Amino acid sequence: MSSPLIMTLRYGENPHQQAALYASAGPAARGIGQAEQVQGKELSYNNLNDANAALELVAEFRDGPPTVVIIKHANPCGVASADSLLDAWNSALACDSVSAFGGIVACNRSLDEATAEAITGIFTEVVVAPDASEGAKAVFARKKNLRLLLTGNLPDPARGGQYATAICGGVLVQTRDNGMLTPEMLKVVSRREPTSQELKDCLFAWTVAKHVKSNAIVYARDGVTAGIGAGQMNRRDSARIAAIKAREAAEKYGWTEPHTVGSAVASDAFFPFADGLLAAAEAGATAVIQPGGSIRDDEVIAAADDAGLAMLFTGMRHFRH
């Protein structure tokens, strides 16, 4: 099945590479490629790739409370759900305001004027939302280079589909990662059961971790990411980097302690050793959600029990390369 050309891009990931955007095939294939660009400069390959990552993650919350996602280089650097988009934006930004500079923002609600004002308070490349009020559009219009993309309905995170990756001498094709966690899949493996709030935070962190490059570690508390560690070669370093970001945020905003204290931590794949889990405990996490399945699961469970952590196994992995 052929894919129609949507547009030729200025260049690819780097100026010496050529690139183009083609439409996906199939009746359910609607997303960034079909979004209405209300304003802003021409979209680049990297803009489109990051905007897609932002849309895919925020779509996980399409039936949830107002949620804001900030993406940098295809990884979330801040995600928050709150009573309003403005509160969600402020919380997401506080998670890692350094990385948010020049990032991509996605919302699961129509953008209002107050939130638009706040977003334009820092340099932002692209904003993605289902819709925007006239007041919000007027605010963004003052930033002529900012790209505003309106998608209409958010895509279904459980939808099917395929992804293809070119390799030397071939093409890898796989179905998209539409694995959805259900309560029946959760297994408490620690001596201590998670509290209701810890369970909520575990599920929130798990949802975000699905969209973080492996090795992925996500701390979350009260519906807000506290620290995100992405793309490291070992899980312990991801846990430590995320904790460092949380400490830096606490110093910047004058909090009495990093928001990793009392948080839940999600790991996209099992802990092969206890060191990553111990790093999370040192950062103040009180609950852990991970797939399980390591030959050292008993060692990791024992470490969680010794630290007083509640730990859940999901039986599902979310590698993202």
Side-chain angles (χ1 to χ4, degrees):
M1 186 178 294
S2 62
S3 297
L5 175 69
I6 294 178
M7 61 177 157
T8 300
L9 305 175
R10 286 182 297 161
Y11 52 79
E13 284 184 284
N14 300 289
H16 61 274
Q17 295 173 261
Q18 295 180 331
L21 173 64
Y22 291 86
S24 298
R30 290 193 57 82
I32 289 298
Q34 293 73 36
E36 175 194 1
Q37 182 172 355
V38 176
Q39 66 157 72
K41 293 195 300 184
E42 179 183 351
L43 287 158
S44 71
Y45 179 99
N46 292 328
N47 291 155
L48 289 162
N49 190 54
D50 288 349
N52 180 68
L55 179 64
E56 290 276 25
L57 175 48
V58 85
E60 299 272 3
F61 300 94
R62 69 177 192 165
D63 298 322
T67 300
V68 171
V69 169
I70 307 174
I71 293 285
K72 193 67 173 290
H73 296 303
N75 276 304
C77 57
V79 183
S81 295
D83 292 333
S84 70
L85 276 185
L86 180 58
D87 288 342
W89 160 258
N90 289 330
S91 294
L93 177 63
C95 178
D96 186 357
S97 58
V98 174
S99 298
F101 182 85
I104 311 294
V105 177
C107 308
N108 69 341
R109 294 284 192 280
S110 178
L111 276 161
D112 58 88
E113 186 173 350
T115 306
E117 287 280 8
I119 291 173
T120 56
I122 68 167
F123 170 53
T124 301
E125 290 275 9
V126 184
V127 177
V128 183
D131 203 353
S133 70
E134 292 304 315
K137 291 177 183 178
V139 169
F140 288 130
R142 301 201 297 263
K143 301 287 185 177
K144 64 178 183 178
N145 290 332
L146 183 150
R147 296 93 161 170
L148 175 61
L149 302 180
L150 301 183
T151 63
N153 293 333
L154 297 178
D156 181 2
R159 72 191 186 280
Q162 294 181 332
Y163 279 123
T165 301
I167 61 173
C168 187
V171 177
L172 290 171
V173 180
Q174 65 174 341
T175 57
R176 64 181 303 276
D177 183 3
N178 60 356
M180 308 296 288
L181 197 59
T182 63
E184 296 76 23
M185 297 168 64
L186 294 174
K187 179 182 179 183
V188 179
V189 295
S190 56
R191 286 196 296 263
R192 183 171 74 80
E193 295 267 346
T195 66
S196 59
Q197 185 59 52
E198 285 175 333
L199 178 58
K200 289 178 182 177
D201 288 338
C202 277
L203 295 175
F204 181 89
W206 177 259
T207 301
V208 176
K210 176 182 175 182
H211 296 266
V212 178
K213 297 293 179 68
S214 299
N215 286 310
I217 291 289
V218 176
Y219 297 90
R221 195 178 83 182
D222 299 327
V224 179
T225 53
I228 299 173
Q232 299 305 303
M233 287 65 74
N234 68 74
R235 206 157 294 280
R236 182 201 62 182
D237 285 355
S238 290
R240 289 176 171 175
I241 289 170
I244 289 170
K245 290 178 178 290
R247 290 198 297 272
E248 290 178 344
E251 292 171 2
K252 176 173 182 176
Y253 292 97
W255 301 333
T256 56
E257 60 187 13
H259 286 180
T260 50
V261 176
S263 70
V265 62
S267 176
D268 66 324
F270 62 64
F271 286 99
F273 302 96
D275 55 359
L277 178 117
L278 293 174
E282 185 178 347
T286 62
V288 184
I289 185 168
Q290 59 134 322
S294 168
I295 60 173
R296 295 183 178 85
D297 274 349
D298 289 345
E299 175 187 328
V300 174
I301 293 170
D305 285 334
D306 289 344
L309 302 178
M311 187 155 66
L312 297 165
F313 279 7
T314 65
M316 176 184 291
R317 189 180 75 184
H318 282 307
F319 270 165
R320 189 176 185 87
H321 291 98

